[in-house]
Amino acid sequence: MRAWADINLDNLIYNLNIIKEFAGSKKIMCVIKADGYGMGAVECARILSENGVENFGVACYEEGYELYKAGIKGEILLLGATPFENIADAVKCGFQITISSFEQIDFLRRNNLHPEVHIKVDTGMGRLGFSHEEALKAIKIIRDENIADIVGVYSHLSVADMPEKDQFTLDQIEKFKVFEKMESIKYKHILNSSGLLRFADATESNLVRVGIILHGVVPFESELQKKFKPVFSFKTKIIFLNKITEKTYVSYGNTETAEPGDLIATMAVGYADGFVREFSNGGIVEIDGVGCRVIGKICMDMTMIKIPEELKDKVQVGTEVTIIGKDILKKAECIGTIPYEIMIGLGRRVARFYIKNGKVLKFKSLQESEAKEFQKG
C-alpha cells in the first residue's frame, strides 16, 4: 500500500448532525459532486441517506447516473447546465434539472419532456443563471405552457467565505428574496456551506446546499472549525532511507542539497497521487505529529523529506507519514489554493479506507478489493 486516504464515516455523520443544528427548519441538500469531493460519491451518499438525507446535488448527468445505478434514493439535482444530449436520459432517471437559459426551456418545449426543474438565478456570481427579470419571465413561460414542473429556484453566493465582502453577500441575499416569497415553489435555496455558517438568519430560504463542511472543513478561518471533525486524512509510507555522507542534490532540477549527516526519506507519494508540486522545496508532512520538510521537487510518484533530529532513530522503511490531515486549510493557503482543490485532486491509485465504528467498513482501490480481505501493511 503506497498511498491512501482514511475516510471516517462516523465523523461524516457527526458533521451532518452539526449542520442540522445550523440549518434548523431548513432542509439539507448534500452536494457530492466531483466524486463526493474526492471521498467517494456513492459511499458518502449511502451513509448520508441512511442518516436522513433526501436531497443530493451533483454537477452533471454522469455523476447523477453513478448514484442512480448504485441505487441511491432521494431527489438528485443536476447543478450544472445539462447538455441537450443528456437531458432526455436525465429525465428518465428522475433527476431534477437546473434551468438557466431560454434555450433549455425551448428544448424542453420541443421535446415534450416535462421534467422537474430548478430555476437558476444569477444574483452576482456571474457564472450561470437568469437575471432577476429573466427568471420571472422564465417561470411564467414554463408555468403558462406547462413545460416543466418547477420544484425549485436558487442562486449561489460567491464570497460568503470572505467576511471583508459581507455587504456583497447581503446584496445577493436581498436580490433573491423576491423568489423566496414564491410559496408555490417547493424549494428556495441560496446558502452554500459558508453561507449556512454565516448567513442562515439573513434569508428565508428553506433548503441549504452543503458540501465541504460535511467533510469537516470550514473554508475560512474561524472558531467554527472546532465544531466539526475531520473526515479524511491522506497518508503514505517511507520506502527508502538515505544517510547522507557527502553533499548532494536532491530530486529534479538540482533545486536543493542535502548535507553530510542528513537523513533523507523517500515517500511513496507524488503529484500523480495529489501531492502537488507546489509543496516542493519546503512543504510540511508529519510523522508522529512531528513536521518533516519536503526537500527538492516533488516527483510524479515519489517525494523526499528531511528527517528531523528527534525522529532519526525512530523512522524506518514502512513508517507512516501523514501528508494532509486536519491542517488542510492552512496547507492550502500556503500554496495559494483552496481545500476543495486538494481534496478532489487525490489520484485514482490512492486507496480509500472507509472507517465506521473504529473498523474498516470498505476498501476501494484500483483493484476494487473488499476491506475485510485486505490488511494495510
Side-chain angles (χ1 to χ4, degrees):
M1 179 59 58
R2 50 183 309 282
W4 67 94
D6 286 336
I7 300 167
N8 191 313
L9 298 178
D10 293 311
N11 286 357
L12 182 67
I13 297 167
Y14 176 90
N15 294 336
L16 174 63
N17 288 330
I18 296 297
I19 289 166
K20 288 178 180 178
E21 293 178 11
F22 277 96
S25 62
K26 301 180 194 297
K27 201 171 179 66
I28 294 170
M29 175 186 289
C30 290
V31 178
I32 49 174
K33 60 184 180 178
D35 194 28
Y37 290 68
M39 301 299 105
V42 170
E43 290 78 12
C44 291
R46 184 163 286 128
I47 196 73
L48 291 167
S49 180
E50 290 172 0
N51 284 271
V53 174
E54 299 175 331
N55 296 71
F56 296 98
V58 295
C60 57
Y61 165 73
E62 291 81 2
E63 291 181 347
Y65 185 74
E66 181 184 24
L67 301 182
Y68 174 83
K69 188 177 179 181
I72 302 300
K73 305 299 181 184
E75 300 178 57
I76 297 174
L77 171 62
L78 308 186
L79 294 162
T82 303
F84 292 158
E85 61 265 26
N86 293 139
I87 290 179
D89 288 334
V91 174
K92 289 178 183 178
C93 293
F95 300 153
Q96 296 171 353
I97 299 171
T98 291
I99 298 297
S100 56
S101 72
F102 291 107
E103 289 81 5
Q104 288 175 299
I105 294 174
D106 184 56
F107 180 87
L108 296 180
R109 179 194 292 116
R110 287 186 284 106
N111 289 274
N112 194 29
L113 293 172
H114 202 83
E116 291 187 341
V117 300
H118 290 234
I119 304 300
K120 182 67 177 289
V121 185
D122 182 11
T123 57
M125 179 74 178
R127 180 176 63 182
L128 198 69
F130 296 102
S131 69
H132 178 277
E133 294 76 15
E134 288 174 337
L136 294 175
K137 180 180 178 182
I139 291 170
K140 186 176 188 305
I141 290 172
I142 291 171
R143 284 179 167 170
D144 288 351
E145 300 183 32
N146 195 28
I147 294 171
D149 182 10
I150 301 175
V151 296
V153 59
Y154 75 105
S155 190
H156 190 67
L157 300 176
S158 58
V159 290
D161 58 343
M162 303 174 70
E164 69 275 19
K165 297 187 178 182
D166 279 355
Q167 188 56 55
F168 187 85
T169 299
L170 292 171
D171 290 344
Q172 284 192 271
I173 291 172
E174 184 64 31
K175 291 176 183 177
F176 189 68
K177 284 187 175 180
V178 65
F179 300 99
E180 293 178 348
K181 294 178 171 61
M182 294 182 173
E183 295 182 0
S184 60
I185 296 180
K186 183 178 181 181
Y187 299 126
K188 283 83 71 171
H189 46 118
I190 189 171
L191 298 178
N192 51 18
S193 290
S194 296
L196 173 63
L197 296 180
R198 304 191 62 241
F199 296 96
D201 294 333
T203 171
E204 295 179 8
S205 57
N206 61 3
L207 178 75
V208 297
R209 304 185 307 272
V210 294
I212 199 164
I213 57 173
L214 283 166
H215 303 287
V217 180
V218 175
F220 54 90
E221 291 289 349
S222 172
E223 289 295 307
L224 290 172
Q225 182 63 65
K226 297 177 181 178
K227 288 184 172 288
F228 296 88
K229 293 184 178 181
V231 168
F232 95 105
S233 55
F234 179 22
K235 299 179 179 180
T236 187
K237 292 178 179 177
I238 291 174
I239 56 171
F240 183 76
L241 288 167
N242 186 9
K243 297 179 180 178
I244 304 301
T245 57
E246 59 183 46
K247 186 174 181 177
T248 182
Y249 289 113
V250 179
S251 195
Y252 291 113
N254 292 357
T255 57
E256 286 204 88
T257 57
E259 302 291 336
D262 287 346
L263 180 61
I264 305 300
T266 300
M267 307 183 298
V269 68
Y271 59 79
D273 304 295
F275 193 35
V276 295
R277 296 183 82 230
E278 285 81 358
F279 287 113
S280 298
N281 303 306
I284 302 296
V285 300
E286 289 188 0
I287 298 175
D288 292 335
V290 178
C292 303
R293 183 182 179 277
V294 172
I295 182 169
K297 291 183 179 179
I298 292 173
C299 309
M300 182 181 290
D301 312 304
M302 291 173 277
T303 301
M304 282 66 77
I305 57 174
K306 181 178 177 180
I307 301 299
E309 288 295 328
E310 61 263 44
L311 291 178
K312 283 185 176 179
D313 295 330
K314 299 178 181 179
V315 298
Q316 58 187 355
V317 170
T319 292
E320 184 176 292
V321 185
T322 298
I323 304 299
I324 303 286
K326 60 184 179 181
D327 58 348
I328 185 170
L329 180 61
K330 181 179 179 181
K331 285 193 171 178
E333 290 174 345
C334 285
I335 62 169
T337 189
I338 52 178
Y340 305 78
E341 188 173 14
I342 291 176
M343 291 173 66
I344 67 169
L346 295 183
R348 287 182 64 238
R349 65 188 185 188
V350 175
R352 272 73 162 171
F353 287 88
Y354 296 92
I355 300 166
K356 195 170 190 303
N357 298 324
K359 297 180 180 179
V360 177
L361 181 68
K362 180 181 179 181
F363 164 70
K364 186 171 74 172
S365 75
L366 292 178
Q367 294 82 22
E368 290 294 336
S369 301
E370 288 300 319
K372 61 184 179 182
E373 299 174 351
F374 189 87
Q375 295 277 330
K376 281 195 264 182

